[in-house]
Amino acid sequence: MVAGCNVGFTEGVFADAVRPHWSGGGARPIRWSAWYPTDDAVWEAATMQAADAAGDSVLAPTFRPLPLCRDARLAGRAGALPLVLLSHGTGGTVAGLGWLAHRLAARGLVVAGVDHHGNTAREAYRPEGFLCWWERAGDLTRLADHLLADPRFAGGIDAARLHVAGFSLGGHAALALLGGITEMPRFLGWAAGRPFGRGPREFPDLADRIVPLLAESPAFRASWQRQSLCFRDPRICSALVMAPAPTVRGFTPESLEAIGVPVLLTVGGADREAPGEAGAGWLHGLIPASRLVPLGADVGHYVFLGECTPEACRAEPAICIDAPGIDRAAIHARVAALALDLFAPSGS
């Protein structure tokens, strides 16, 4: 028997028939993972081991596995539970935010996120996925629809208490769900001459890919034409935006000023990938119901990823090792407490 685990985990994939695969062949895949409270108390050791093994493959080898019960039943509660939608950073996976998902699920929330097509380590990177940020918001809306209809969750999720949390580029998705409108020329003009103006490390020539893709890819061309649509999901009640990427400078100020739900912004003072003045601080000056929580002068960008295995610390020190004196687990606990207060305040 295995005791002490009250968090279930499941995953799946479905097709969004409205949008194409970046290759142009077939529909856009929505690959998702979900963490949730469970009352299942009887399990074999093999079940727990399978969940831990998922941390080495499905959930990502970089991060320390957390105790999970794979495909357990959603806990029976007096009333439906809030749902928090997650969006990962550039080129990452939703597993990188498993530390937040696990903590929230252990406190009675359902948490689910998408590995965004073309922009996730779960599949081959594609420049289209790194350019068309607005498609991420659609992924999260489709996921919410899917879970609300899924027999495993139907009736257990409160459709009136949907929230969103995003890290780095995921912060762009979170704000798009609140009504942020993207204008790519606005971002390209602002980013010109800045270190991140050309593209991320996965595609350092990303800006040069736009014109060829417009000429060659119908899927990219169709998405590019959608960039300034409103992807607001009126069901979203609040947002946690962690170290928002500089891409947020592509939002129109008017659309940000119109956001009327609570937004919690948090960033470290040593963040070089998403400096506070370029993202979180700028957003705080425009979003009326926003709160900015700095995390300390020596806190970097990747503190918002999970705690790494020793092997990953050796292989990927840039994303796994923080500055001296920075306790990643302590910061995770602090941010999770802020998130819990935002998404499920006492008495709600």
Side-chain angles (χ1 to χ4, degrees):
M1 302 291 293
V2 177
C5 177
N6 64 344
V7 175
F9 174 83
T10 193
E11 60 186 346
V13 61
F14 63 93
D16 180 359
V18 175
R19 295 178 293 165
H21 192 284
W22 286 127
S23 68
R28 181 180 179 91
I30 308 292
R31 186 180 300 278
W32 58 273
S33 301
W35 296 253
Y36 49 90
T38 181
D39 292 330
D40 280 0
V42 179
W43 5 18
E44 298 296 331
T47 303
M48 185 65 178
Q49 291 166 359
D52 280 348
D56 294 331
S57 57
V58 177
L59 293 184
T62 303
F63 309 112
R64 294 178 182 172
L66 298 168
L68 299 168
C69 181
R70 180 174 289 276
D71 297 325
R73 292 169 295 183
L74 179 66
R77 298 289 175 111
L81 305 176
L83 170 64
V84 179
L85 300 167
L86 295 182
S87 183
H88 62 76
T90 298
T93 66
V94 72
L97 298 176
W99 61 269
L100 177 60
H102 195 277
R103 284 171 168 85
L104 295 180
R107 295 295 299 273
L109 287 74
V110 178
V111 186
V114 174
D115 291 316
H116 297 290
H117 173 46
N119 191 250
T120 173
R122 290 287 298 270
E123 60 180 59
Y125 290 146
R126 297 189 63 104
E128 301 97 321
F130 281 70
L131 283 164
C132 299
W133 318 313
W134 44 91
E135 299 295 353
R136 287 166 158 252
D139 292 343
L140 298 180
T141 288
R142 298 288 84 74
L143 176 59
D145 295 340
H146 180 80
L147 294 180
L148 286 167
D150 189 315
R152 293 170 292 180
F153 296 98
I157 295 174
D158 186 349
R161 289 192 291 167
L162 269 56
H163 310 272
V164 63
F167 162 59
S168 196
L169 187 56
H172 192 284
L175 293 170
L177 280 183
L178 300 185
I181 301 294
T182 301
E183 291 180 349
M184 197 61 147
R186 179 185 297 272
F187 170 74
L188 293 173
W190 173 83
R194 289 182 165 85
F196 34 76
R198 302 303 302 168
R201 60 181 180 175
E202 295 88 352
F203 288 102
D205 63 342
L206 190 61
D208 297 330
R209 305 285 188 106
I210 297 173
V211 172
L213 284 169
L214 285 172
E216 300 164 4
S217 170
F220 178 78
R221 196 158 53 243
S223 178
W224 199 254
Q225 293 170 354
R226 289 194 294 270
Q227 65 178 265
S228 295
L229 296 180
C230 181
F231 295 96
R232 178 175 175 266
D233 189 326
R235 299 172 296 184
I236 304 297
C237 301
S238 66
L240 169 63
V241 179
M242 299 171 283
T247 58
V248 297
R249 297 304 287 258
F251 284 127
T252 67
E254 297 79 11
S255 67
L256 296 175
E257 291 165 354
I259 292 175
V261 303
V263 176
L264 178 62
L265 301 154
T266 185
V267 67
D271 195 323
R272 296 181 178 85
E273 286 74 17
E277 64 272 16
W282 180 76
L283 291 167
H284 180 52
L286 289 169
I287 300 173
S290 66
R291 175 188 174 198
L292 177 60
V293 179
L295 291 180
D298 295 325
V299 174
H301 190 65
Y302 296 109
V303 75
F304 292 103
L305 295 179
E307 294 180 75
C308 294
T309 63
E311 295 80 8
C313 288
R314 290 190 290 269
E316 296 283 354
I319 67 171
C320 289
I321 299 179
D322 301 302
I326 299 301
D327 184 339
R328 187 174 291 201
I331 290 176
H332 288 174
R334 181 185 177 191
V335 173
L338 291 167
L340 190 66
D341 187 58
L342 178 68
F343 300 144
S346 299
S348 66

